[in-house]
Amino acid sequence: MTEPRNQSLAAPSPADPLAGLRRFTRAQAPVIERCELCGLALGPEHPHLLERQSRRIACACTACALLFYGPGSGRYLRIPEHILHLTDFSFTDMEWEEMALPIGLAFFVSDPEGRPIALYPGPAGVVESLIPIPAWSGRVAAHPALSSLQPEVEALLVNRIGTEHSYFLVPIDECFRLAGIIRRHWRGLSGGPEVWGAVAVFFAELDQKASAKQWVRRA
């Protein structure tokens, strides 16, 4: 008669009670941003560069950003940090309608030759308008702050959503941050209440930044 095989009576070893916590900690480890030129670790506040050909925003350390101070013709331009809320500038309804922009948000920058470009954010990203900007040279000449904008890296940002319109002079990275907010929160054909709430928060924060920073006009 064949004897039954002995079965182990030892209970299986319990799972490591801290394994799940360690996995959670690893998953939540903060992402360290690094300078895209030299690889140095960056803090929460750091300079940005504009990669001119792609219009991509690049993070940089202070030392690398200093290499691109002022206008230039290389691959990168340093993005300034000045923010100004314009209370003495506006587009009339007719001027805005002439530009045929499909949304009440747009930002205006100059190309390297000084020609104005209108861009607007949407659910697919940033779109460039091909419609000429009426009487732009006259508007710029009449407003000292507009005439001092650096081509490619500073913009006139316009918010005509709702009844309260606002106009800001901003670094170009703020415009792309707004575009990212819209792309992330947009729902359906009209965007939905979530996206417009997020846009309102963005402009409230922008106004706070503007009040905390003094605009310095460059010669």
Side-chain angles (χ1 to χ4, degrees):
M1 179 174 171
T2 305
E3 294 183 2
R5 296 179 180 177
N6 292 330
Q7 297 182 356
S8 173
L9 299 179
S13 58
D16 182 352
L18 298 180
L21 179 60
R22 281 195 288 267
R23 285 195 299 270
F24 177 80
T25 304
R26 286 196 297 269
Q28 298 299 314
V31 177
I32 298 176
E33 287 192 284
R34 295 189 176 275
C35 174
E36 297 187 36
L37 277 73
C38 71
L40 183 72
L42 301 173
E45 299 292 331
H46 52 264
H48 287 150
L49 304 174
L50 175 71
E51 189 175 29
R52 303 174 71 193
Q53 184 173 2
S54 64
R55 285 186 183 153
R56 187 180 69 87
I57 305 300
C59 298
C61 65
T62 301
C64 288
L66 286 173
L67 299 174
F68 304 97
Y69 183 79
S73 58
R75 177 180 177 184
Y76 293 103
L77 290 176
R78 181 174 181 174
I79 299 174
E81 300 177 2
H82 311 291
I83 297 175
L84 178 65
H85 188 175
L86 296 179
T87 57
D88 55 351
F89 177 90
S90 65
F91 283 113
T92 66
D93 291 341
M94 182 176 295
E95 287 172 332
W96 192 259
E97 291 172 3
E98 286 178 352
M99 290 185 284
L101 296 168
I103 187 173
L105 295 171
F107 56 99
F108 302 83
V109 298
S110 297
D111 66 12
E113 286 72 40
R115 293 176 300 226
I117 303 170
L119 303 104
Y120 56 91
V126 175
V127 180
E128 181 175 335
S129 172
L130 301 179
I131 303 298
I133 303 174
W136 181 255
S137 59
R139 300 301 297 277
V140 169
H143 203 292
L146 283 177
S147 63
S148 70
L149 287 177
Q150 292 186 38
E152 300 182 79
V153 291
E154 291 180 309
L156 168 65
L157 176 59
V158 178
N159 177 16
R160 291 173 60 88
I161 300 294
T163 57
E164 297 294 329
H165 301 167
S166 56
Y167 301 81
F168 290 86
L169 300 184
V170 298
I172 195 68
D173 53 354
E174 291 288 354
C175 300
F176 283 99
R177 186 166 74 89
L178 173 61
I181 290 171
I182 291 177
R183 186 171 185 177
R184 184 164 62 251
H185 293 284
W186 191 280
R187 300 292 183 272
L189 296 177
S190 62
E194 181 181 347
V195 69
W196 303 121
V199 167
V201 170
F202 168 87
F203 278 100
E205 293 174 348
L206 197 66
D207 195 34
Q208 291 179 352
K209 293 179 184 178
S211 63
K213 295 183 180 180
Q214 181 179 5
W215 179 269
V216 178
R217 186 182 178 189
R218 293 166 296 279

